[in-house]
Amino acid sequence: MYKNIIVGLSFISLMNCNAQKEAKKQAANNQTPVVNTIPTKNEGKIIYFNEGENKFLPEFQMNVTFKNIAEDSRCPQGTQCVWAGVAVANVEMMSTTSRPMTFQFSTTEVKGKDYHKTQSFNGYTISLKEITPHPTSENSAKSLSGKYRIGIEISKENN
C-alpha cells in the first residue's frame, strides 16, 4: 500500500514539474497563454428584465430587481383615449457599497406625481426604455400582472 502512495506522489510531482517547465518556456518566448473572454459591457445597451427577475450586473457593480408594475393606465391598443396614460415600474437597485433602494420608472414624465423616465443611482443614469406588453381591449393591465417586461439603459453620469 505504501508503494502505491509513493508512486502516486512521485507521479503528481513529475506532472507539476512539467507544467512549471512549460510555463517558464512560454515566459522565455514572451508567449502568454490564450484566455477566451467575452466582453459583457452593457453600457449604452438595453438590458431586459421580466417581472420579478433579479440580475447582478458586474460591469456596474449593481444588483437590479424588477419588482412589479405599480400602475398601468396606458390607453389600451385599438381604443381611443383622452389621455395616453402612464405605466410605472418598481425597480430595486443595490450596489456593492449601498443598501437596496426602490425607484419608480415611468413611461412618461408626470411632474405632479413625481414620475420620471430617468433616475440617478451610484454614479449612473438609469433610463426606462420600454415596458411590454401594452394593454389591449382584451387584456387589461390586471390580466397582464406577472407578464410584464422592462428594458432599461444604464450609462455613467457625466461629472
Side-chain angles (χ1 to χ4, degrees), residues 10-37:
S10 300
F11 181 71
I12 291 171
S13 295
L14 287 174
M15 287 182 58
N16 190 23
C17 289
N18 202 16
Q20 287 178 356
K21 286 179 188 177
E22 190 64 34
K24 285 181 184 177
K25 196 185 294 183
Q26 283 182 345
N29 294 333
N30 278 337
Q31 295 175 345
T32 54
V34 177
V35 177
N36 292 327
T37 58

Side-chain angles (χ1 to χ4, degrees), residues 17 125 134:
C17 289
T125 299
H134 200 283

Side-chain angles (χ1 to χ4, degrees), residues 27-54:
N29 294 333
N30 278 337
Q31 295 175 345
T32 54
V34 177
V35 177
N36 292 327
T37 58
I38 299 170
T40 59
K41 191 126 175 126
N42 283 323
E43 188 162 338
K45 295 181 183 173
I46 297 176
I47 306 164
Y48 293 94
F49 294 85
N50 293 317
E51 195 167 353
E53 185 176 13
N54 172 283

Side-chain angles (χ1 to χ4, degrees), residues 50-103:
N50 293 317
E51 195 167 353
E53 185 176 13
N54 172 283
K55 291 182 185 177
F56 179 73
L57 307 173
E59 58 272 27
F60 306 114
Q61 290 297 293
M62 173 183 318
N63 196 54
V64 180
T65 305
F66 170 27
K67 296 295 228 178
N68 58 17
I69 293 293
E71 175 184 337
D72 192 353
S73 61
R74 295 177 292 176
C75 183
Q77 290 176 330
T79 62
Q80 289 187 348
C81 300
V82 175
W83 184 55
V86 64
V88 181
N90 287 324
V91 180
E92 183 181 87
M93 298 189 182
M94 181 175 69
S95 74
T96 54
T97 59
S98 75
R99 291 180 175 244
M101 296 178 65
T102 301
F103 293 90

Side-chain angles (χ1 to χ4, degrees), residues 103-105 116-121 124-127 157:
F103 293 90
Q104 287 193 324
F105 292 92
H116 303 284
K117 290 179 78 165
T118 301
Q119 305 271 358
S120 293
F121 176 72
Y124 291 97
T125 299
I126 298 95
S127 301
E157 287 182 342

